[in-house]
Structures are given as structure tokens and as C-alpha cells.
Amino acid sequence: MLSDPCPQRIGASPVIPNERPVIANSLWAATANRIPDYPALTGVQNTDVAVIGGGYTGLSAALHLAEAGVRVTLLEAEQPGWGASGRNGGQINPGLKDGPSGIMAKFGPEQGRRMAEMAGDAADLVFALIDTHQIACDAVRPGWIRAAHTEKTLRDLHALAEDWHTLGAPVDALDRAAITRITGTDTYLGGLIDRRGGNLHPLNYALGLADAAGRAGAVIHGQSPVDAIDRDGARYRLKTVRGVLGADTVLICTNAYSGDLERPLGRSVLPVRSVQVATAPLSDNLRASILPDRHALSDARRLLLYFRLDAEGRFVMGGRGTYNDGSTRRQIARLKAVTSQLFPQLSGVEWQHAWGGFVALTRDHYPHLHEIAPGLMAGLGYNGRGVAIATAMGRVLARWASGTPPKDLDFPVTPVAPLPFSFARTLAVEAEILRLRLLDQLGL
């Protein structure tokens, strides 16, 4: 189980520290496990592999490297799980944007098959880590539902379910009667159920990975934002406010929070705010009428909705928002309203939490793996599927840092490609959100 060596509790307050108030009232922070505070890097230290970022990608990489006997040090700007890894909907969603045939058509049969298998097995990896390291994160595995609201998306999801059968995956099509029965709402026309998926407490999962990595020998520093990455002969020097870390190899695992540390990298993804709301724990009668088997659900809208019940029976609803605080407040109100449309029995329910964070979208909707320079690799761009895929990408990065050639990795290594108009991405996101919302309203 997670260790509890000191009285500090990350979740003593529901407020995410050092965050804008509109997205800081987090259910996950309020119900987090107890962990020690990871100290800041001070002075001059050395390691074999430096990991920048304490989300799922970095924590998974650090854990796998430490278990392989590699000397690894992780630097996190706040504390492990502070970013999207501690704020997401907690849905364990295997797979990528396309099914196996689409992935192989785009990347070739050999690389495509490795990618499809890596993504398809990503949920297995998450549950295996939870089991091996006894991570207390309320993990359940009833399956992940994808729901269709139009005839076109229904056909697409049924085709996707059939496609996954080519790899023997337990993915089945759902008709309207079936999806109504297992969700408790008759809003959707059908969809699919991926029985590999499930849900968990996302922040406690991140904290459990950090605990496991530390016990395996990884050194973890919080409050250590990296200001610069410099080359010093054959080694790298990572500079923070209070220290310097020397390393042979560096893994950048900062996803939507990459900023300008490696400027082309930060401009290769579009950070989009994802917002969630949560009720007070529901009565037993209400719980029995809404996702009674605790499935996780994401629908097929362009601006998707995703919802589930947590371990205490709270209803958690999420959707995409924008950078603007005013529009985020409107999105919070919209999520509460759409909940009542899906489940009229929740009209008038008490809402206790509203929070959010940034997910990283890519132009092709695939995660990206970039070798920025010799000994410097980054993995990012999970497009809202980060619990499973980021965990798996961390293992890929660990294998590369341990000497696996890029051609033998389960994901292709590609050049960094900044997005067009990335300098104006705030305006671009606002405009794109409005466009996609209109298309969803029109059913196109």
C-alpha cells in the first residue's frame, strides 16, 4: 500500500495549490492519499537519467528505469501529480484515435502493429502496476463505454469495435437497448464497450507511482522547475532555482505544461483546458440508476462529454473548455445542465467541486515521441487518453534511455513540428472550441 511516513496530507484542502481559483476546487485533491513532500533539488547533483515532469509519463519512466537498476532523478515543478495526471477524469481508456487497421495503414504493418498492441495493452499495464505496487487508487475494471449521439458516429464506433477484434481485443458493439441498460440514460443511440478499460482515482494513482518509483530507488524532487537544459560536453546540465542536475540522458515528460523549456516542443501541441464537476455522494437509489456497474463513459462528440461515478458514489462529469476564466465558468454551468438532461433524477443535486487542467492535443490526434538531440527525448500529446497511454509511453521512454534503438521502440520517433499559428494559440483554441461546439449542435 502507499506509505504514510508523515502527517502531511496533499488532500487536506480541495484547492489545488498555485492554480487559478476557477479550476482549483478539485475532488481528487480533496480525497488524496497521504504522502511526504518531495524536497526541492539543491546544490549540484548527478544522475544517469534525468526525468523532467512528475505526471504519469515521467513517473512511469522513472519507475521502470529504477526497477532496471538505472540511476534516475525526477524533477517536478510543483509536486508529483500536480498537473493533468492528478486532475483528469480517471478513465483508463486503451487504444488510440484509430483502430488497428487505421494505425497500420498510416504507419505501416510492422510499426503500426506494435503501436496498436502497445496502446491496446496500455490498460493492462496500468492495472498490473496498481496490483504489483499495491497502489490504493480505487481502481475498478468494468469496461470503458464510447457512446454515439448520431447515426454516423454509431456506424463509426461499431466499425471500430469490429476492427479491434482483428487483434482479439474484448471490444463489443452496443445497440440502443444495451447502452441504455448499462448507463441509465436513453440519450445515446448505441456505441461500444471496451472491456480492457476502467477507472481510478487519478491523483492517487500518480502518488502511488511516485511512491513506487521512490521505493525502487528513483530520486524525486518537487518544487524544482527546470529553467534551462544546457549541454556540458557529453552530459546535460539541468538548472533549477536552487540547484543543478547533471545527467547523461534527459527525458522531457511535461505534456501540455511544456511551455518554453524546449520552445519547438511546447509549440508542437495545443494545450486545451479540460473541466470537471462533481456532486456530493449520491444516495443508494440514485447510484443504482446511473452507471450501476461503475463503467466509465466518453461520448463521440467533437467536444466530448465524459462521466462516471467515483468510489464514494459522486457523479463526475467532464468536458473541454478554453483558456478564458469566464468561458470556463460557463462551461462548468453547462456541464451541470447537461447532467440533468442525461439523468433527470440528478436535477437539483448538490455540486461540491469544479476543477480543471490542460490536456495536450496534437494535429494528427496521435501521441508523439521526439528525439530532440542525442540523449534528449520527449513523449507527449495524449489527446485526453493520458491515464493509460502516458503510462505506456513512460515505459517506452525508459526503454530508449536504457539503450533500445529508436527503430525497435513500440512508437515511432518523429521530428518536432511546431503547429501553425502557435504564437496565437489562445485565440485559435477559442475559435476552434466555438466551431466544434456548433458542429456538435448541428449533429454534423
Side-chain angles (χ1 to χ4, degrees), residues 9-17 24-32 353:
R9 179 178 171 86
I10 289 281
S13 165
V15 176
I16 300 169
N25 181 16
S26 168
L27 166 63
W28 311 129
T31 56
H353 298 280

Side-chain angles (χ1 to χ4, degrees), residues 29-356:
T31 56
N33 292 326
R34 297 159 66 95
I35 65 161
D37 190 33
Y38 291 98
L41 174 75
T42 58
V44 178
Q45 307 291 333
N46 286 283
T47 190
D48 295 331
V49 179
V51 177
I52 304 174
Y56 299 142
T57 310
L59 293 169
S60 174
L63 172 58
H64 284 97
L65 285 165
E67 289 183 327
V70 176
R71 190 172 55 150
V72 56
T73 300
L74 183 148
L75 303 178
E76 161 58 37
E78 296 285 345
Q79 288 291 322
W82 181 88
S85 293
R87 311 183 191 196
N88 63 81
Q91 298 191 3
I92 307 169
N93 305 341
L96 297 169
K97 166 184 176 285
D98 298 317
S101 63
I103 297 170
M104 287 187 277
K106 184 176 179 66
F107 294 94
E110 182 180 348
Q111 180 70 74
R113 177 171 287 276
R114 293 209 306 267
M115 291 172 65
E117 290 177 348
M118 170 259 203
D121 294 342
D124 289 342
L125 174 62
V126 171
F127 284 104
L129 291 173
I130 291 169
D131 182 61
T132 298
H133 299 287
Q134 292 295 285
I135 298 174
C137 61
D138 301 324
V140 293
R141 200 172 193 180
W144 170 48
I145 298 168
R146 294 194 64 188
H149 65 294
T150 67
E151 291 292 345
K152 180 184 182 303
T153 54
L154 181 63
R155 291 191 298 271
D156 291 344
L157 289 177
H158 282 185
L160 181 61
E162 181 62 29
D163 194 16
W164 272 109
H165 276 292
T166 64
L167 289 185
V171 184
D172 297 310
L174 298 173
D175 61 17
R176 187 163 199 159
I179 202 168
T180 298
R181 184 175 62 255
I182 62 179
T183 63
T185 177
D186 61 3
T187 300
Y188 296 109
L189 304 180
L192 64 77
I193 181 167
D194 190 329
R195 302 184 193 281
R196 299 169 295 184
N199 54 69
L200 46 64
H201 188 301
L203 178 53
N204 282 341
Y205 174 55
L207 301 180
L209 290 177
D211 182 81
R215 286 187 283 109
V219 177
I220 299 177
H221 292 289
Q223 306 302 321
S224 300
V226 177
D227 297 323
I229 304 173
D230 297 326
R231 191 81 177 186
D232 183 13
R235 288 172 59 81
Y236 286 97
R237 287 169 52 87
L238 282 60
K239 297 179 180 179
T240 71
V241 173
R242 300 173 60 187
V244 175
L245 178 65
D248 297 318
T249 304
V250 177
L251 304 178
I252 301 178
C253 306
T254 45
N255 203 36
Y257 294 83
S258 295
D260 291 330
L261 177 61
E262 284 288 327
R263 183 167 293 183
L265 180 69
R267 293 181 177 178
S268 70
V269 296
L270 193 64
V272 174
R273 184 179 282 176
S274 193
V275 182
Q276 295 165 78
V277 293
T279 69
L282 304 179
S283 67
D284 290 342
N285 286 340
L286 284 177
R287 292 189 208 185
S289 69
I290 299 169
L291 298 168
D293 295 319
R294 291 188 61 191
H295 291 93
L297 184 147
S298 302
D299 68 21
R301 290 178 173 88
R302 290 175 176 84
L303 293 178
L304 82 165
L305 299 173
Y306 53 95
F307 52 88
R308 52 168 285 211
L309 295 176
D310 80 342
E312 302 301 322
R314 301 175 183 88
F315 184 80
V316 182
M317 167 66 80
R320 298 281 164 80
T322 68
Y323 297 114
N324 181 277
D325 284 358
S327 63
T328 296
R329 292 187 183 93
R330 290 190 291 274
Q331 174 68 341
I332 288 170
R334 187 179 297 113
L335 292 174
K336 295 176 181 178
V338 77
T339 295
S340 296
Q341 294 167 12
L342 290 168
F343 301 102
Q345 63 268 45
L346 291 182
S347 298
V349 73
E350 179 188 358
W351 294 95
Q352 291 188 335
H353 298 280
W355 72 100

